[in-house]
Amino acid sequence: MAKEESVMVNGARGEVLLTIDGVELVIAATMGGLAAVSTRLDCKSFQDLFMRLSGVEAAAVLAGIELLTIKGDRLAAIQKLKLKHFKDCAAAFNAALAHHFDDGDEGNVEAVVDATK
């Protein structure tokens, strides 16, 4: 089986390809999607949301796939989801979240990403 990866689909919009056991999804960290994930997970801050998505917490991975998918069969992907896919999910979530920091005012994204490792 080929290694599953996350790849930028449309970098200008922060879209990332995530393949879960042959099911291709396009995810994006839209503000509406992030708000929905944050609400579902009862996050108290953006840092809490970021840590939970990138830390591959089971509830966060499921919420991220369901609420951040903008194209593809999210339910089929969730049905095929296994622990082995969590690393790829975290990479895709990180890539989609990083889009919000790529407008010239990057801040210290690397420090936040390093803190999640």
Side-chain angles (χ1 to χ4, degrees):
M1 179 185 317
K3 181 180 181 326
E4 316 269 340
E5 295 183 31
S6 62
V7 178
M8 288 301 264
V9 175
N10 183 336
R13 291 194 304 234
E15 296 176 359
V16 178
L17 178 66
L18 172 61
T19 303
I20 298 174
D21 211 22
V23 178
E24 289 189 351
L25 304 174
V26 176
I27 64 165
T30 64
M31 293 311 290
L34 291 173
V37 172
S38 180
T39 299
R40 178 168 302 167
L41 299 176
D42 197 27
C43 294
K44 302 300 181 201
S45 67
F46 181 75
Q47 181 178 358
D48 184 23
L49 174 63
F50 185 91
M51 295 292 286
R52 292 180 76 181
L53 281 172
S54 61
V56 293
E57 178 185 314
V61 170
L62 290 173
I65 291 170
E66 181 182 345
L67 301 168
L68 300 179
T69 295
I70 60 170
K71 183 177 180 183
D73 189 345
R74 67 192 77 183
L75 296 178
I78 289 171
Q79 289 175 344
K80 292 183 174 200
L81 187 66
K82 294 185 170 89
L83 290 176
K84 69 180 183 177
H85 301 115
F86 277 36
K87 182 179 178 184
D88 293 328
C89 292
F93 296 149
N94 283 332
L97 287 165
H99 168 72
H100 289 282
F101 299 101
D102 286 342
D103 62 354
D105 184 21
E106 295 178 6
N108 197 354
V109 176
E110 290 178 11
V112 175
V113 171
D114 287 346
T116 64
K117 291 181 180 176

